[in-house]
Amino acid sequence: MRFGVVRFPGTCDEVDAYLAASRVGEAEILWHADADLKGVDAVIVPGGFSYGDHLRVGAIARFAPVMVEVDRFARNGGLVLGICNGFQVLCEAGLLPGALLPNTSLRFTCRQVDLEVVNASTSWTNATAVGDTLSIPAKHNTGRYYAPDPVLDEMEANGQVVLKYAAGHNFNGSVRDIAGVSNKAGNVVGLMPHPEHAVDALTGSADGLKLFASAVAVPA
Amino acid sequence: MSKHRDLGLTDFEYDLIVEKMGREPNEVELAVFSLMWSEHCGYKHSRPLLKTLPTEGPRLVMGPGENAGAVDVGNGLSCAFKVESHNHPSAVEPFQGAATGVGGILRDIFAIGARPIAILDSLRFGEVAESARSRYLLEHAVAGIGHYGNSIGIATVGGEIYFEGPYEQNCLVNAMAVGLIQTDELIKSAAAGVGNVVVLFGARTGRDGIGGASVLASAELDTDMEKRPTVQIGDPFEEKKLLECSLELLDRKLLVALQDLGAAGLTSSSAEMAAKGEVGLDLHVRRVPLREQDMEAFEIMISESQERMLCVVEPDRVQEVLAVCAKWEVNATAIGEVTDTRRLRVFDGDELVGDLPVEALVDECPTYELEPAEPATPLYPAPPRVLESEDPGEILLGLLGSANLASRKGVFEQYDALVGSRTVRRPEQADAAVLLLPDPANGDKLTALSPSKDDDGPKPAIAMSIDGNGRRVAADPYRGAVEAVLECSANLACVGAEPLGLTNCLNFGNPEKPHIAWQFSRAIAGLGDACRAFGIPVVGGNVSLYNEGGEGPIYPTPVVGLVGELPDARKSGRLGFQTAGDVIAIVAADSWAPSNAASELSKLRGEAVEGPLPHVELGELKALHAAIRQAVRSGSLSSAHDVAEGGVAVALAESALAGGLGATVSALDDLFGEGPGAFVVSGPAEAMTPFGAAARVIGEVGGDVLSIEGALSVPLVDLDRAFTRGLSDLLE
């Protein structure tokens, strides 16, 4: 499987995402100004501070030429993973429901957190089991997931709440402890914690690798 | 005629400028001279002493004089690093001061072509429990460091903070950056090639930071608010683009020379490039992209606007350079040429507005011999007494809960310590940060500096630490400075790393005063002796003088940053106890003689800040550090932690808290005394054998209480509460 990793000006985690993806497949960088996905099988929109987070997190990146193609790809069932800033971008682009608000602490926080798998049948979690605990670092200023209650109820009914913070790990104040969500079809997933930084026990945990391995396991 | 005095030049210096110029300097020329001959750029009170520091070593690749130093870390790679101060700007505007301190030191790293991978910082503030101003400075400086480092995507992996009364008016913000580069791709800053083009790229030039080097960094602070316009504003997004753009320009071999714009802006960067290349430069200030259109020529020359770089390019590569800059959405403009005149000539349109001799600017700044004199009476008042108890358990809780020793979690969690996915030891996991070195097998450019994704085999890594306890230097400048080197080396030993090179930031008061000159010269003698004894070269650094105001000088604070290597990160040492049943030992030098002088306990008890500090046998300590390092590398120890502030009792408590395991320890001669030369280690009994007589088994890991026979028995939950809340409660 070939993963494409989007690079905007201000993206910080693209090399880590590229390396994580290349542990389970091949990877290449997709430049923000090129409306071209180079025929990849899955797209990762990585973390960082695209366009300096100017205006509002993710608000400028969604208009990048490459995002036109990511949008088309996602709506045609292509596998898309948004991590941290990438999650924010996918929400801004309307590919995922809800929005990310500033942490309740109003502070940037970098912390290893435990996530609980709620839906193990999305394209990015099918190598896990419901109830699994994944140890993955989170690091952000604007990671408090929010959607109105009726939307949340519908998302839960649809299995769109994919990952939750384990008890005591929801440091950002996300509604219903939500750490990661999907679209209805389950091909597009976004999460605030960083699975690409959790691919080697030596640097803290290898649990994040399961998300990349999940994409590989999706039948072509 | 006193304009030169307003700019910080003495009458003697002004006369010397007139002599070198052969005439009176005009406004532009005087502005340029005042900056280049400031303490910050010209090192006029420190250069003779700095020359006494050892700068040679077998692994040295680039020593003092370039933007950053570098050491060989194997496989054709070098590690570049440097520490620099941004004290005065941070005292005036802590968020931007600290943020641009990080931005500035990062530019020094990528100016030599290296990719920055880590940031550490060393902070000093007044008594945070007493002073609302110190809490404000701490909060905003930490936020500024986080804002810049997080946004640019470089891991902040370590640092230290102390709170002491003498920093109340003059806080210290020292930032260290570490980068990696293929050694054969290091680039120097010497301009070369007459007829080559000088290209300025990065942010537009505005009026921010005008005169920062001379006004802020080279004189005592007094009327803070009037100086606010001299503080620069940072934009990490602009610097992120500048970083990627600079590295791509270098990767494509498009540049002859590269230099960042830091203190004194275009003035010092161009003058230094010309001086090193033994050439001249013609600069056209009207070609510089401006943020404000009505700027004077001298303002453009001395603006300290951030996120700018200057490079020298062969004429037929200029279009390619501009194209790479355009790709990264970075402004780039050809603003001048390399000449053979050995003069820095400044043109405003067709008019020559400045014509300056390069050697005089850069190399002929007068230096002053210091006139050191040991003060007859104490320079610093005794701190207020805040701990009355004589009960060892209560003392331990008091120490762990004191602002200087309490957990830094509330601070370091505001920093991304993980970007790059190479951080093996994060803050509070070990005495030093450990970062994986790249995998030489990573062929492609994108991942050339990234760690291996192969899970087998040894994982070479580097370790880094930054330290410097000003109170101990105040008590005994020579031994205090020696201890700063020893502390960093001990930290590295605890993760299994061997020191390769050292950078320092020398923060002192006004060196024109004899007692400050005495502190400064004694401290540098200590640094030099410790480095020589340990065989560690000084690869570069920074001097920050005039850190004093109406309330007196800061504690003399030489901050030491040390980088070392370890052959296999899988064996990196840990601070916390790991396994119940492990034995605990003190591994100490024969000469270890902890005392209460200038210790944390002495501070809490309100005792005078005075020495002497314990004598150390440097040769013996070098061997001790090597023994700890070898034991950690062998993987036989479960934990290793050096005995530092708060003595053996605090070291035991820290290992217990980090591992979540208690300990039962036999009676100890000295609980809270301080002095270099001891470690607390744990592991199976046989792991202590290689230390021979240096190891003394004192107890066993286990349970949920720390008990020391005849002295104290405190549940871990109580220790944890004191440790966790000591600082964070002050921040809420």
Side-chain angles (χ1 to χ4, degrees), chain A residues 7-20 22-25 28-29 31-33 48-54 107-112 137-139 141 194 196-205 209, chain B residues 115 139 146 150-154 235 237 240-241 244 327-329 409-410 412-426 436 442 444 446-447 450-455 459 568-572 731-732:
Chain A
R7 185 183 221 184
F8 302 107
T11 297
C12 298
D13 298 316
E14 73 277 26
V15 177
D16 294 18
Y18 176 102
L19 279 166
S22 24
R23 284 174 179 254
V24 297
E28 63 183 291
I29 294 290
W31 184 244
H32 69 105
F49 294 77
S50 58
Y51 302 92
D53 274 357
H54 291 164
R107 280 195 180 140
F108 183 97
T109 301
C110 173
R111 189 179 290 179
Q112 195 83 18
K139 41 165 204 171
N141 231 328
H194 289 258
E196 82 283 16
H197 296 324
V199 296
D200 182 353
L202 191 56
T203 50
S205 163
L209 205 51
Chain B
R115 175 171 286 278
E139 291 256 14
N150 299 339
S151 303
I152 197 171
I154 296 164
D235 180 353
F237 175 55
K240 171 69 173 166
K241 295 188 296 175
E244 300 301 339
K327 172 188 161 187
W328 286 103
E329 300 175 18
K409 190 173 173 189
F412 69 72
E413 277 198 340
Q414 296 185 51
Y415 306 142
D416 178 352
L418 307 174
V419 59
S421 299
R422 52 170 79 80
T423 312
V424 176
R425 290 290 178 271
R426 306 175 193 181
L436 291 169
N442 284 343
D444 64 331
L446 184 73
T447 62
S450 296
S452 169
K453 50 184 207 268
D454 179 1
D455 288 329
K459 297 285 189 72
D568 189 356
R570 297 175 304 176
K571 305 269 178 68
S572 306
L731 291 175
E732 293 314 321

Side-chain angles (χ1 to χ4, degrees), chain B residues 13-25:
Chain B
E13 287 163 349
Y14 184 76
D15 292 343
L16 197 60
I17 290 167
V18 173
E19 187 192 314
K20 304 253 179 218
M21 295 280 295
R23 60 178 167 81
E24 302 262 336

Side-chain angles (χ1 to χ4, degrees), chain B residues 460-482:
Chain B
I462 50 175
M464 54 205 73
S465 172
I466 189 166
D467 217 287
N469 184 328
R471 182 172 1 94
R472 294 182 75 78
V473 184
D476 189 337
Y478 177 87
R479 287 182 183 168
V482 167

Side-chain angles (χ1 to χ4, degrees), chain B residues 26 155 159 173 178 204 252 329 409 421 431 478 492-493 546 555 573 587 694:
Chain B
N26 65 27
V173 174
V178 180
R204 287 172 178 271
R252 294 187 179 205
E329 300 175 18
K409 190 173 173 189
S421 299
D431 282 12
Y478 177 87
L492 260 54
Y546 301 95
Y555 282 153
V587 183

